[in-house]
Amino acid sequence: MLNIQRFVCNMLQENCYVVSDETKECVIVDCGVYYQEERKALVNYIRDNGLVPKHLIATHGHLDHNFGNNTIYEEFGLKVELHHADEDMLQNQDKDVTSFYGLTIDYEMPPIGKLLTAEDTIEFGSHRFTIIETPGHSKGSVFFYCEEENITFSGDTLFHYSVGRTDLKGGSMFMLIQSLRMICQLPDKTTVLPGHGEKTTIGVELAGNPYLDR
């Protein structure tokens, strides 16, 4: 069974998740920790629970989901894995930090590790995530889906009764709607853990999210 710990991070209240199982191996999803107390809390949780990080993965390349990649790289030696279509976005965001986020980053972002495709899987402990490509919020947005436990990490593609914005570089409302139609085929009971806000399910969103239509 998966154990999922959520950390609400940075000025945009982004959700970072540490996902582990009975083997103590874990995956860090969307490491948006920015402030020092957030970084310390994340590292302490991993160490205090005897967890062994195996992957650092990102649902997309926006910086609020990747502020803390350097901490995970420095503490555990992991480089972020994300969809290849968002490689340039993550590598070249330094120029946009001051204007969009209103801050200056005084540290270097670590290099990107593996560039993912829909054919890849994320394996740790006794569990596996498959990758569902969901472009729209960004070109490389993905869901990480654990079929065994009916849990998916949706990043900024799907929120409770809402969806991610499409007015940023690489965004497309047309592509987002196409992605939403595809993920509607997941089982209704699938738990959705989004990049911002509270968890939901596919069934709840089908019943009340105005953007979803089978």
Side-chain angles (χ1 to χ4, degrees):
M1 181 175 181
L2 290 179
N3 182 52
I4 302 172
Q5 180 68 37
R6 180 179 69 146
F7 296 83
V8 181
C9 309
N10 67 54
M11 65 294 299
L12 296 182
Q13 297 291 283
E14 180 268 345
N15 291 330
C16 168
Y17 300 96
V18 178
V19 187
S20 59
D21 67 12
E22 70 283 353
T23 71
K24 295 293 186 177
E25 291 188 351
C26 73
V27 170
I28 301 141
V29 183
D30 285 353
C31 190
V33 291
Y34 176 74
Y35 302 108
Q36 284 305 120
E37 59 268 26
E38 296 172 348
R39 295 170 184 266
K40 183 177 180 180
L42 177 63
V43 172
N44 285 348
Y45 173 80
I46 292 171
R47 295 199 187 284
D48 290 348
N49 287 279
L51 303 182
V52 180
K54 303 301 289 185
H55 297 276
L56 168 62
I57 56 178
T59 58
H60 63 292
H62 287 151
L63 202 53
D64 58 313
H65 292 250
N66 293 276
F67 278 132
N69 290 352
N70 67 315
T71 289
I72 301 304
Y73 181 61
E74 292 164 5
E75 295 286 342
F76 305 108
L78 295 179
K79 300 176 183 178
V80 68
E81 304 170 39
L82 83 165
H83 193 274
H84 66 87
D86 273 4
E87 177 185 11
D88 289 343
M89 174 189 294
L90 186 57
Q91 287 184 330
N92 299 313
Q93 277 192 117
D94 289 349
K95 304 172 185 176
D96 301 325
V97 169
T98 300
S99 59
F100 186 76
Y101 296 97
L103 54 87
T104 300
I105 290 183
D106 59 358
Y107 56 89
E108 287 190 13
M109 296 296 287
I112 295 172
K114 186 174 182 178
L115 295 173
L116 302 172
T117 72
E119 303 303 315
D120 290 305
T121 58
I122 306 297
E123 298 186 13
F124 66 103
S126 60
H127 287 81
R128 180 178 71 166
F129 293 167
T130 55
I131 296 168
I132 303 173
E133 295 174 326
T134 57
H137 179 65
S138 71
K139 291 182 180 179
S141 289
V142 301
F143 273 34
F144 294 113
Y145 176 52
C146 181
E147 181 177 7
E148 177 187 357
E149 302 207 21
N150 283 309
I151 292 172
T152 192
F153 298 86
S154 64
D156 287 1
T157 297
L158 178 64
F159 303 131
H160 179 42
Y161 289 169
S162 188
V163 297
R165 60 191 294 180
T166 58
D167 59 332
L168 301 176
K169 184 178 180 181
S172 166
M173 180 56 76
F174 172 77
M175 295 184 73
L176 181 65
I177 294 301
Q178 294 298 107
S179 294
L180 292 172
R181 287 174 177 169
M182 178 178 60
I183 62 94
C184 283
Q185 305 308 310
L186 293 174
D188 287 359
K189 64 181 179 179
T190 302
T191 298
V192 177
L193 297 169
H196 302 268
E198 298 302 315
K199 68 181 180 179
T200 183
T201 68
I202 293 293
V204 166
E205 297 312 301
L206 283 170
N209 191 319
Y211 294 91
L212 266 64
D213 182 2
R214 285 191 191 271

